[in-house]
Amino acid sequence: MITRLLVANRAEIASRVFATCRRLGVSTVAVHSDADAALPYVGEADVAVRLPGSTPAETYLRVDLLLEAARASGADAVHPGYGFLSESADFARAVLDAGLTWVGPDPSSIEQMGSKIESKRLMEAAGVPVLRNHSVDDASEADLPLLVKASAGGGGRGMRVVRDLADLPGEVERARAEAQSAFGDGTVFVEPYVERGRHVEVQVVGHRDGVLVLGERDCSVQRRHQKVVEESPAPGLPDAVRGALHEAARAAAAAIDYRGAGTVEFLYDPATERFFFLEMNTRLQVEHPVTELVHGVDLVDLQLTVAEGGVPDPRAIGETYGHAVEVRLYAEDPAADYQPQSGPLSVLEVPGVDARFDLLNRPGVRLDAGFAGGSEVSTHYDAMLAKVIAWAPTREQAVRRLADTLARTRVHGVVTNRDLLVQVLRSPDFVAGDLSTAFLTDHPALAPAADPGAPVAAALALAEQARAARRVQGRIPVAWRSVVSQPQRTELDHAGDPVVVEWWGGRDGYTVEGCTVVAAGPTEVVLERDGLRSSYAVAVSGPSGREVVDVDGPGGHARLVRVPRFVDPAEQVAAGSLLAPMPGTVVSVAVEEGQAVVAGQPVLVLEAMKMQHTVSAPADGTLARITVQPGAQVAAGEVLAVVEGEVA
């Protein structure tokens, strides 16, 4: 039996495995990079071991360091989590060769399914339908659009859609570089891209006596080919298709004598009711909680049972009941092409949580979070902050419950996709179950509208904060004048757009054109507009004169920054400057100083949070200056290059 388990991973997944271990009485070991030292999972473990460094290559991808941590901590088993080395056959063998229990499938199974190229050949031989592979040389215009995919990984890394055949070689090279950085393997392949298919996957648990099939999940709502919303059961599947998917997944697992938890992923075409094998993930999936809630089963518990040589008791696995929906809360900016964000996370408050990393005994909300208020979001890893999951008797009830919970969630410090998730869940098409992998592309209007009350609440809260900070004359009304000549002006920046709030202060309180100020304080402002009264929660941080104001109200969250009255000339940048959109590492520079460029032409590539981001020329001109070289670490807002003039 396992007595002490090391989780060779970080953040939310480590906390998830630790939760099951506590319930089973298994001691736990955390490993952490320097960047992760203060995250919650480190304190949740019985023992923690430092991995010196911050990048994945220095820490979580170092097999030697992980095995040394297991030896030093007295661990007798290793759980790989997901991502990093979770699907590395070499790591699995190294763990077994060290005399430790590997909580995962046999290394040979990982190898067979670890190469998406070889796994498709194996599945085709087993009678599972697959999509044809292409190469740079044999692809034609008739095959477009195409999808370049990393053979060794997932999560959107090393994945590119190609709509112009001339772009294929370059996208293949970029996908290789991204896959090499994320998984240590740059092998990629090319297959047809089904524009509006559905991503449906089946959960299996293989053991010595056979294969358990625990239903399916729909993971079609994606951005950058990475899942954002997942649910179980998949809505609207014909019974015949559902049964065929389950049997195909069972056949896939049986073909390699699979042991442990795994997921067989399919692309389903609703128009033809056909489906195709995509890949098999030989590990636990990020979205496993929705399966747990509808089946009443702890998948990590089943993993440990199989790893110890046992067989899961079918009586402990409940029949499918109800519906579960999960969203991934990311530190990213949907308005800026989902650019990942980093920095201090000052507030993370999810209301009405009924369970954390656990099953629910009644309909409610589960939270699996790897971060907490006060945590630092690093540039080195995935941008997911938490998973919020709702379970209810019907899909409609689960979706409504989850949308309401998210709408009342407070996240401050970094830009997130919270408001976008609320809009998705409340979209009529999503509620109707009209899903595809192009959902977010087909719904550009899902970006939330600005709440006009948020800037007003921010301005008045700043005024009240200034009054509270007074050492003298604290009872005099804010901005009181015996003769009023003009309103006070508070200038704010909202996502790059200037906002000016004009207001009057006096003995009778505040006056703002267009609304009535019912109450105002440093942390809460109540406004009435067109007969509707709304309350805004306000949090102010940052230095005086440049305060950051987070406002949570009926229109969602708004992050506003006070614009200083006087700008330091040293902080101004030249016109045509290319600024780093986020902290990261310069991967490559595509042009040279003095070279003519056109608007939109790639100038350099940044890597942040295991994804590569192209920085392009803002206008036609000449690249007058490059300030960085490949390998350089840059901060958000740092000048990378300058484009001057226009091409003659």
Side-chain angles (χ1 to χ4, degrees):
M1 292 182 64
I2 295 171
T3 59
R4 173 165 284 189
L5 178 71
L6 181 146
V7 178
N9 220 294
R10 63 182 293 277
E12 165 264 334
I13 181 55
S15 293
R16 167 66 192 90
V17 176
F18 293 162
T20 292
C21 288
R22 282 193 297 274
R23 292 191 287 270
L24 297 177
V26 176
S27 178
T28 56
V29 180
V31 290
H32 67 86
S33 68
D34 292 336
D36 285 342
L39 288 188
Y41 82 98
V42 177
E44 292 167 358
D46 295 304
V47 178
V49 180
R50 173 180 174 244
L51 304 177
S54 292
T55 68
E58 294 172 324
T59 55
Y60 303 106
L61 294 177
R62 287 280 300 273
V63 174
D64 56 335
L65 294 183
L66 295 170
L67 293 180
E68 174 58 26
R71 186 201 62 77
S73 64
D76 55 8
V78 173
H79 191 299
Y82 40 71
F84 296 130
L85 295 171
S86 62
E87 294 180 281
S88 168
D90 289 341
F91 181 46
R93 282 198 184 90
V95 169
L96 293 169
D97 290 345
L100 305 172
T101 297
W102 168 250
V103 183
D106 188 88
S108 62
S109 297
I110 298 175
E111 282 180 331
Q112 288 174 296
M113 289 300 189
S115 167
K116 293 182 177 64
I117 299 172
E118 294 303 317
S119 66
K120 287 173 74 171
R121 293 175 183 165
L122 183 63
M123 291 300 98
E124 189 172 19
V128 179
V130 300
L131 289 168
R132 178 196 168 200
N133 281 353
H134 293 275
S135 69
V136 172
D137 296 326
D138 70 16
S140 68
E141 292 285 346
D143 298 318
L144 296 173
L146 294 167
L147 184 64
V148 183
K149 297 178 69 174
S151 180
R157 283 98 181 175
M159 192 177 291
R160 306 272 172 159
V161 175
V162 178
R163 303 183 187 280
D164 187 331
L165 203 59
D167 296 336
L168 183 58
E171 295 293 7
V172 165
E173 288 307 311
R174 279 186 278 276
R176 282 175 179 160
E178 202 166 79
Q180 182 65 41
S181 174
F183 313 113
D185 184 344
T187 305
V188 300
F189 66 99
V190 182
E191 68 182 14
Y193 179 54
V194 180
E195 292 276 9
R196 283 169 175 77
R198 286 175 59 180
H199 186 123
V200 181
E201 60 190 31
V202 180
Q203 177 70 59
V204 298
V205 178
H207 52 87
R208 67 171 185 259
D209 292 343
V211 178
L212 288 174
V213 175
L214 296 173
E216 79 290 334
R217 301 182 285 256
D218 188 291
C219 309
S220 299
V221 180
Q222 304 176 1
R223 57 95 177 100
R224 286 184 169 175
H225 317 292
Q226 191 166 15
K227 302 162 189 173
V228 177
V229 182
E230 301 108 346
E231 57 183 301
S232 182
L237 280 186
D239 289 341
V241 172
R242 195 184 308 273
L245 281 166
H246 293 184
E247 288 310 309
R250 190 190 308 276
I256 58 172
D257 191 24
Y258 190 80
R259 304 292 174 90
T263 299
V264 186
E265 301 195 347
F266 298 94
L267 183 63
Y268 169 58
D269 184 355
T272 62
E273 295 190 358
R274 297 176 63 198
F275 59 85
F276 304 93
F277 172 81
L278 289 176
E279 61 183 344
M280 182 175 185
N281 289 301
T282 53
R283 54 173 169 80
L284 198 65
Q285 289 278 86
V286 177
E287 58 272 20
H288 74 274
V290 294
T291 295
E292 292 186 320
L293 294 182
V294 298
H295 283 277
V297 61
D298 184 331
L299 285 171
V300 175
D301 189 348
L302 295 187
Q303 284 187 298
L304 298 178
T305 296
V306 174
E308 292 176 330
V311 175
D313 184 353
R315 294 172 299 178
I317 300 171
E319 294 294 324
T320 302
Y321 172 74
H323 201 95
V325 185
E326 170 184 296
V327 295
R328 302 188 191 188
L329 184 64
Y330 281 104
E332 66 183 16
D333 187 355
D337 194 27
Y338 301 97
Q339 284 182 358
Q341 307 291 300
S342 61
L345 180 67
S346 54
V347 175
L348 176 56
E349 297 175 358
V350 181
V353 172
D354 300 285
R356 297 176 185 270
F357 302 106
D358 201 358
L359 303 177
L360 293 168
N361 54 22
R362 60 184 176 85
V365 174
R366 165 174 163 174
L367 175 66
D368 287 14
F371 292 78
S375 297
E376 184 80 16
V377 182
S378 167
T379 63
H380 299 293
Y381 315 112
D382 186 84
M384 190 176 74
L385 302 176
K387 300 180 306 196
V388 188
I389 313 102
W391 174 56
T394 68
R395 182 177 188 270
E396 292 76 12
Q397 292 170 338
V399 169
R400 183 173 60 190
R401 177 71 174 269
L402 184 55
D404 179 68
T405 297
L406 283 171
R408 295 184 293 114
T409 292
R410 300 180 69 202
V411 191
H412 299 166
V414 293
V415 178
T416 74
N417 66 336
R418 192 280 305 260
D419 289 344
L420 177 67
L421 294 173
V422 174
Q423 295 295 320
V424 169
L425 294 172
R426 290 176 174 170
S427 161
D429 284 343
F430 182 86
V431 172
D434 185 6
L435 308 175
S436 80
T437 54
F439 187 90
L440 291 179
T441 303
D442 292 341
H443 295 76
L446 287 175
D451 184 342
V456 176
L460 300 187
L462 286 170
E464 283 295 300
Q465 186 181 68
R467 181 170 75 165
R470 288 179 187 167
R471 295 182 179 273
V472 295
Q473 299 179 331
R475 295 186 179 183
I476 295 179
V478 176
W480 182 84
R481 300 288 187 274
S482 57
V483 179
V484 179
S485 61
Q486 60 185 8
Q488 298 290 315
R489 290 169 54 89
T490 302
E491 296 187 34
L492 303 164
D493 178 279
H494 181 221
D497 295 325
V499 181
V500 177
V501 179
E502 295 187 340
W503 52 275
W504 290 262
R507 188 176 287 109
D508 298 326
Y510 294 95
T511 301
V512 180
E513 187 175 345
C515 66
T516 301
V517 182
V518 179
T523 60
E524 184 178 21
V525 175
V526 181
L527 304 176
E528 187 172 300
R529 186 187 301 269
D530 299 327
L532 301 178
R533 182 172 296 189
S534 301
S535 178
Y536 295 84
V538 185
V540 180
S541 59
S544 177
R546 298 174 177 271
E547 294 94 336
V548 175
V549 188
D550 287 284
V551 181
D552 291 286
H557 171 259
R559 185 175 188 267
L560 302 113
V561 181
R562 192 208 287 264
V563 177
R565 294 181 63 188
F566 305 103
V567 179
D568 185 345
E571 296 181 358
Q572 296 180 327
V573 297
S577 295
L578 280 72
L579 306 181
M582 69 204 78
T585 303
V586 178
V587 176
S588 62
V589 178
V591 294
E592 299 178 351
E593 288 187 358
Q595 181 177 331
V597 295
V598 296
Q601 179 178 340
V603 173
L604 53 83
V605 176
L606 283 180
E607 182 174 281
M609 296 180 175
K610 299 192 289 185
M611 300 287 283
Q612 292 194 354
H613 308 268
T614 300
V615 180
S616 302
D620 295 354
T622 300
L623 193 67
R625 183 159 54 96
I626 299 176
T627 62
V628 294
Q629 296 298 323
Q633 296 283 328
V634 298
E638 184 174 331
V639 177
L640 305 174
V642 178
V643 175
E644 292 182 349
E646 293 186 356
V647 177

